[in-house]
Amino acid sequence: MTTEESGVVADWRTYEEQRLPRVLAAALETFGEKGYHGTTTRQLAEAAGMSVPGIYHHYASKQDILFDLMMVIIDELIERSQQALASAEDTPRAQFDALVESLLRFHMHRRRGAMLSTSELRSLEPENRARYVARRDEQQRMLDRIVLAGVESGALSTPYPADASRAIASLCVGVASWYRPDGQYSVDTLLTRFLAITESIVGIR
Amino acid sequence: MTTEESGVVADWRTYEEQRLPRVLAAALETFGEKGYHGTTTRQLAEAAGMSVPGIYHHYASKQDILFDLMMVIIDELIERSQQALASAEDTPRAQFDALVESLLRFHMHRRRGAMLSTSELRSLEPENRARYVARRDEQQRMLDRIVLAGVESGALSTPYPADASRAIASLCVGVASWYRPDGQYSVDTLLTRFLAITESIVGIR
Amino acid sequence: MTTEESGVVADWRTYEEQRLPRVLAAALETFGEKGYHGTTTRQLAEAAGMSVPGIYHHYASKQDILFDLMMVIIDELIERSQQALASAEDTPRAQFDALVESLLRFHMHRRRGAMLSTSELRSLEPENRARYVARRDEQQRMLDRIVLAGVESGALSTPYPADASRAIASLCVGVASWYRPDGQYSVDTLLTRFLAITESIVGIR
Amino acid sequence: MTTEESGVVADWRTYEEQRLPRVLAAALETFGEKGYHGTTTRQLAEAAGMSVPGIYHHYASKQDILFDLMMVIIDELIERSQQALASAEDTPRAQFDALVESLLRFHMHRRRGAMLSTSELRSLEPENRARYVARRDEQQRMLDRIVLAGVESGALSTPYPADASRAIASLCVGVASWYRPDGQYSVDTLLTRFLAITESIVGIR
DNA sequence: CATGAATGAGCTTTCATTCAT
DNA sequence: CATGAATGAAAGCTCATTCAT
């Protein structure tokens, strides 16, 4: 299976250790731990194994690092979502299942990035925030469209498709905040369980 | 109905405009908007309508303000939860419904405080964090106990009670991040819907 | 004799030790010695006998200090010039002599400030520079007007009044760069000599 | 007529577009515009059409560039002055006129370099400054000697030869700060005028 | 010479906090 | 409580300079 976009993600279900440039990896680690404003450029540099000016050789500002990181993260989410949809059967339920599975997998494997993006949205400067939010809305609209289409076709059933869509997205995002890859449950176990929950929200039994 | 603790909350279902001392109200507003590290004491003072030394008259440090605020917030949550349980019938389902309803109501009416507590946990200094987490765990254990008891009694049915409990809490907390009191849905509408979802998670049909 | 403007300067001929707020005095000293860009805020603070944040309590930026200093300096020059003209007889020659004497006295007694203003004009940010230059042009136009009027009345005689005016101003400003108050010549000696030179430029014999 | 020194200057009255190595030309432009401390090596490199390491291939430091530039400038001034004296008649007045004319021409045609040298003297490190000042004093002494000799011979007449010499030098230097080659007056016009002024200072009528 | 990556030292500025009044 | 002045510590960022290629 191939996608037009990018070539970074081989298969939407497969997650390798995230490969990020040193600076972004350090930003993910430090911003995730102490927050954007709670992280100093010195800490960031140390985490990156660089000097402070070394950081500034690659990025013009701390803000640019945050923005780039968040864009890299959401770009991966959207690309995987598109691949999931492209590779699934073209029935409402299959499309729904694929997208939710993709969302869940992403928030399990890219936990830190997902949480960081949620909590540091406010730390983006207005222009950057607008660009990020536009991208995030793309992702949300993919789910909105599928739920709505499913309801219209009769495959899904909920009186409030928009609310359901948002609740499902919120549920998936929430997984990132407590799932531990080294916990007792496998990805597949949790997938099965949460897929069942989300399906119940849109009236699949 | 009475509780041992406090006397601030008249009825666990009823939410008035939150009554906070000026400093805490300002902290809720500013920390919520720009984060703890993203807020300066001057901004805090301005939001409180005070001078900076005025702030320090009430609190020894910015950290103390965050800690006090988060404790006030979680104390209210726990007190309401206890009242909800105390006022509900002593059946597993009634207890479950009451606690979830309380959780949901709280995260709808105290959205900002709930979100702030989640995102600024990392900004608490170790000792404060430990005390806060202990208190938050109390709340989580209330739900854990009820789910477990319900499963043991046969009223609830899930093979993974601990996971279910955590997923439910996560769902309720997540509501705070997108619910808008001025949106199109009433509290009761959302309550009904989310109660149904959480019930489905623990096998109530 | 009175002036409408200000009340700082008692008599245009009399110069006391310049009375500047601590920060401006330090700026005059340090900027004058090493230049604006060559002076660090730490050096400035040390010269002012303050801490660095102490400086920023009074001024928002290093640039603001430079601007304020230069405005204070030129304001004094202009005020003294106006007083000189007001106190002189209303004949072309008396007006010319008074203004040149004022210019010369100023550039002898306020040497450092005058030199600093000349050399740091380029260090002013565009908006500040525009405001300063407008003020400096006021001063130049006072001389231009007098020379022109003198030529028209026949009291002065030069075929190029504008050039003469600029050359005279330049001569007076230049005095600041080499006159030493502790040198061998008194103010009055130099005054006499330079007044003779400037008079010769405009054809007074 | 020839000089022992150099061979760069064909005739002391003739000024071609200044021919400087790329780095010095860029230094003249940038240091002149924003000052030595106000110019970064990157700006310098850009102005030179070179890379930053390219600059360091030619010069060991930014300070070395300033020093070299200032020495090149004053060397040209001194060489032209010597040629002017060598080519003039050996009478006090002719010698005086030649030297002043040379000084004036130089400060009209090499305006930027002259102003830069004046304002960046303080940016030279002590050792460099000492060497530069020694050179500049050579130039000043040429004028001092001629004025003194002229007074002694009776051709010139001023009670303060040293002051007069300094004032004349100051006047000539000052020309650089306001003369514009694209202005309304030709070099010759200004020469005539300023020569008359300086002659009046030393009592030539 | 250019490119690109890197850095020690230091820059301007800000922060939380304090103290005298 | 407010005002105003002050500060140690540190923040984000930049500088001149270097080195490998």
Side-chain angles (χ1 to χ4, degrees):
Chain A
M1 165 204 10
T2 52
T3 19
E4 299 94 65
E5 258 195 72
S6 141
V8 179
V9 174
D11 171 48
W12 65 272
R13 270 191 251 252
T14 308
Y15 282 80
E16 322 251 333
E17 178 67 26
Q18 192 165 13
R19 276 310 208 164
L20 287 174
R22 271 200 296 173
V23 175
L24 293 189
L28 179 55
E29 178 188 329
T30 54
F31 292 172
E33 204 164 317
K34 328 189 56 159
Y36 174 74
H37 287 297
T39 301
T40 73
T41 52
R42 273 160 186 75
Q43 292 167 335
L44 183 60
E46 192 182 15
M50 286 181 178
S51 65
V52 170
I55 299 278
Y56 282 91
H57 180 72
H58 297 283
Y59 286 92
S61 69
K62 189 180 161 188
Q63 169 74 202
D64 279 8
I65 298 173
L66 175 62
F67 180 57
D68 195 20
L69 177 60
M70 287 178 60
M71 289 307 267
V72 163
I73 290 166
I74 199 152
D75 283 350
E76 183 186 352
L77 171 59
I78 290 180
E79 194 194 337
R80 287 185 184 269
S81 296
Q82 289 171 334
Q83 292 191 12
L85 292 181
S87 69
E89 265 187 76
D90 195 16
T91 69
R93 164 139 190 202
Q95 292 275 308
F96 177 83
D97 284 0
L99 187 54
V100 171
E101 181 184 343
S102 173
L103 265 169
L104 286 166
R105 285 189 187 275
F106 184 86
H107 285 88
M108 288 177 194
H109 287 100
R110 299 290 183 251
R111 299 174 45 244
R112 294 195 307 173
M115 293 177 69
L116 183 150
S117 295
T118 300
S119 62
E120 298 304 345
L121 179 56
R122 69 177 164 212
S123 302
L124 286 179
E125 287 164 7
E127 200 177 345
N128 290 337
R129 175 153 57 227
R131 289 179 54 193
Y132 176 83
V133 166
R135 199 93 174 99
R136 197 194 53 183
D137 287 350
E138 274 183 53
Q139 168 67 34
Q140 181 63 43
R141 274 199 306 271
M142 291 173 64
L143 186 57
D144 291 348
R145 264 197 306 267
I146 287 171
V147 170
L148 203 60
V151 168
E152 279 168 2
S153 77
L156 310 186
S157 136
T158 166
Y160 310 94
D163 281 1
S165 179
R166 205 163 41 192
I168 288 163
S170 164
L171 237 187
C172 295
V173 170
V175 165
S177 67
W178 57 266
Y179 173 74
R180 293 281 115 78
D182 55 348
Q184 46 190 333
Y185 301 114
S186 71
V187 168
D188 285 339
T189 304
L190 284 165
L191 261 187
T192 311
R193 203 164 308 155
F194 272 83
L195 206 45
I197 295 172
T198 58
E199 287 180 337
S200 82
I201 295 177
V202 292
I204 301 178
R205 270 157 307 128
Chain B
M1 162 205 14
T2 52
T3 18
E4 299 94 67
E5 261 194 70
S6 139
V8 180
V9 174
D11 171 48
W12 66 273
R13 268 193 251 252
T14 306
Y15 282 80
E16 322 250 333
E17 178 68 25
Q18 192 166 14
R19 274 310 207 165
L20 287 173
R22 271 203 292 175
V23 175
L24 293 190
L28 178 56
E29 179 188 330
T30 55
F31 293 171
E33 204 164 317
K34 329 189 55 158
Y36 174 73
H37 287 298
T39 301
T40 72
T41 51
R42 263 155 193 77
Q43 293 168 334
L44 183 61
E46 192 182 15
M50 284 181 178
S51 67
V52 170
I55 298 278
Y56 282 92
H57 180 73
H58 295 283
Y59 286 92
S61 69
K62 188 181 162 189
Q63 171 72 203
D64 280 7
I65 299 173
L66 174 63
F67 180 57
D68 195 22
L69 176 61
M70 287 178 60
M71 289 308 269
V72 164
I73 290 165
I74 200 154
D75 283 351
E76 183 186 351
L77 172 60
I78 290 179
E79 193 194 340
R80 287 186 185 267
S81 295
Q82 289 170 334
Q83 293 191 11
L85 291 182
S87 70
E89 266 187 73
D90 195 17
T91 70
R93 166 139 187 200
Q95 291 274 309
F96 177 83
D97 284 359
L99 187 55
V100 170
E101 182 186 339
S102 174
L103 265 169
L104 285 167
R105 283 189 187 277
F106 183 85
H107 284 90
M108 288 176 196
H109 287 100
R110 298 291 183 249
R111 298 173 46 243
R112 293 196 308 174
M115 292 176 68
L116 183 149
S117 296
T118 300
S119 63
E120 298 304 344
L121 178 56
R122 68 181 163 208
S123 301
L124 286 179
E125 285 163 10
E127 199 177 345
N128 291 338
R129 176 155 53 227
R131 288 178 54 194
Y132 175 84
V133 166
R135 199 92 174 98
R136 196 194 54 183
D137 287 349
E138 275 184 52
Q139 167 66 35
Q140 181 64 42
R141 274 198 306 273
M142 291 173 64
L143 186 57
D144 291 347
R145 264 197 306 269
I146 287 170
V147 170
L148 204 60
V151 167
E152 278 166 3
S153 77
L156 309 187
S157 136
T158 166
Y160 310 93
D163 281 1
S165 179
R166 206 162 40 193
I168 287 163
S170 162
L171 240 188
C172 295
V173 169
V175 165
S177 68
W178 58 267
Y179 174 72
R180 294 282 114 78
D182 56 347
Q184 46 190 332
Y185 301 113
S186 70
V187 168
D188 286 338
T189 304
L190 284 167
L191 263 186
T192 311
R193 202 163 310 156
F194 272 83
L195 205 46
I197 295 172
T198 57
E199 288 179 336
S200 81
I201 294 178
V202 292
I204 303 177
R205 268 158 306 129
Chain C
M1 163 208 10
T2 52
T3 18
E4 298 93 69
E5 258 195 73
S6 143
V8 179
V9 174
D11 170 48
W12 66 271
R13 269 191 252 253
T14 308
Y15 283 80
E16 322 251 333
E17 178 67 24
Q18 192 164 16
R19 276 310 208 165
L20 287 174
R22 271 201 296 174
V23 175
L24 293 190
L28 178 56
E29 178 188 330
T30 54
F31 293 172
E33 202 165 320
K34 329 188 55 158
Y36 175 74
H37 287 298
T39 301
T40 73
T41 52
R42 278 181 234 298
Q43 293 167 335
L44 183 60
E46 192 181 14
M50 289 182 174
S51 67
V52 171
I55 298 279
Y56 281 91
H57 180 71
H58 297 282
Y59 285 92
S61 68
K62 188 181 161 189
Q63 170 73 202
D64 279 9
I65 298 172
L66 174 63
F67 180 57
D68 196 21
L69 176 59
M70 287 179 61
M71 289 307 266
V72 163
I73 290 165
I74 199 154
D75 283 350
E76 184 186 351
L77 171 59
I78 290 179
E79 195 194 338
R80 287 186 185 268
S81 296
Q82 290 171 334
Q83 293 192 12
L85 291 182
S87 71
E89 264 187 76
D90 195 17
T91 70
R93 165 138 188 203
Q95 291 275 309
F96 176 83
D97 284 358
L99 187 53
V100 170
E101 181 185 342
S102 174
L103 265 169
L104 284 167
R105 284 189 187 275
F106 184 87
H107 285 89
M108 288 177 194
H109 288 100
R110 299 291 184 249
R111 299 174 44 245
R112 293 196 308 174
M115 293 177 68
L116 182 150
S117 295
T118 300
S119 64
E120 298 305 343
L121 178 57
R122 68 177 166 214
S123 302
L124 286 180
E125 285 164 10
E127 200 177 344
N128 291 337
R129 175 154 54 226
R131 288 179 54 193
Y132 176 82
V133 166
R135 201 91 173 101
R136 197 195 51 183
D137 288 350
E138 274 183 54
Q139 168 67 35
Q140 181 63 44
R141 274 197 306 271
M142 292 173 63
L143 186 57
D144 292 347
R145 264 196 307 267
I146 286 170
V147 170
L148 203 58
V151 167
E152 279 167 2
S153 77
L156 310 187
S157 136
T158 165
Y160 311 93
D163 281 0
S165 178
R166 206 164 39 194
I168 288 163
S170 164
L171 239 187
C172 296
V173 169
V175 164
S177 67
W178 59 266
Y179 174 74
R180 293 282 114 78
D182 54 348
Q184 46 190 333
Y185 301 115
S186 70
V187 168
D188 286 337
T189 304
L190 284 166
L191 263 185
T192 311
R193 201 162 311 155
F194 273 83
L195 205 45
I197 296 172
T198 58
E199 287 179 338
S200 82
I201 295 179
V202 291
I204 300 178
R205 269 158 307 127
Chain D
M1 170 202 9
T2 50
T3 17
E4 301 91 68
E5 259 194 73
S6 142
V8 179
V9 174
D11 170 49
W12 66 272
R13 271 193 249 253
T14 308
Y15 282 81
E16 322 251 331
E17 178 68 24
Q18 193 166 13
R19 275 311 209 163
L20 288 173
R22 272 202 293 175
V23 175
L24 293 190
L28 178 56
E29 179 188 330
T30 55
F31 293 172
E33 204 163 319
K34 328 188 55 157
Y36 174 73
H37 287 299
T39 301
T40 72
T41 51
R42 265 156 191 77
Q43 292 168 335
L44 183 62
E46 192 182 14
M50 284 181 177
S51 66
V52 170
I55 298 279
Y56 282 91
H57 179 73
H58 296 282
Y59 286 93
S61 68
K62 188 182 162 189
Q63 170 73 202
D64 280 8
I65 298 173
L66 175 62
F67 180 58
D68 195 21
L69 176 59
M70 286 178 62
M71 288 308 267
V72 163
I73 290 166
I74 199 155
D75 283 350
E76 184 186 351
L77 171 59
I78 291 179
E79 194 193 339
R80 285 184 186 269
S81 296
Q82 290 170 333
Q83 292 192 11
L85 291 182
S87 69
E89 265 187 75
D90 196 16
T91 70
R93 166 141 188 198
Q95 291 275 308
F96 178 82
D97 284 359
L99 187 54
V100 171
E101 180 184 342
S102 174
L103 264 170
L104 286 167
R105 284 188 187 277
F106 184 85
H107 284 89
M108 289 176 194
H109 287 100
R110 299 290 184 250
R111 300 175 43 246
R112 295 197 305 176
M115 294 177 67
L116 183 149
S117 295
T118 300
S119 63
E120 298 304 345
L121 178 57
R122 68 181 165 209
S123 303
L124 286 179
E125 287 163 9
E127 199 177 348
N128 291 337
R129 176 155 53 228
R131 289 178 53 195
Y132 175 84
V133 166
R135 201 90 174 100
R136 197 194 52 183
D137 288 350
E138 276 184 51
Q139 167 66 36
Q140 180 64 42
R141 275 197 305 273
M142 291 173 65
L143 185 57
D144 291 347
R145 264 196 307 267
I146 287 170
V147 170
L148 204 61
V151 167
E152 281 167 359
S153 77
L156 310 187
S157 135
T158 167
Y160 311 94
D163 281 0
S165 179
R166 206 162 40 192
I168 288 163
S170 164
L171 238 188
C172 295
V173 170
V175 165
S177 68
W178 58 266
Y179 175 72
R180 292 284 114 79
D182 55 348
Q184 42 191 336
Y185 301 114
S186 70
V187 168
D188 285 338
T189 305
L190 284 166
L191 263 186
T192 310
R193 202 164 311 157
F194 273 83
L195 206 45
I197 296 171
T198 57
E199 288 179 337
S200 81
I201 295 177
V202 291
I204 303 179
R205 269 159 305 130

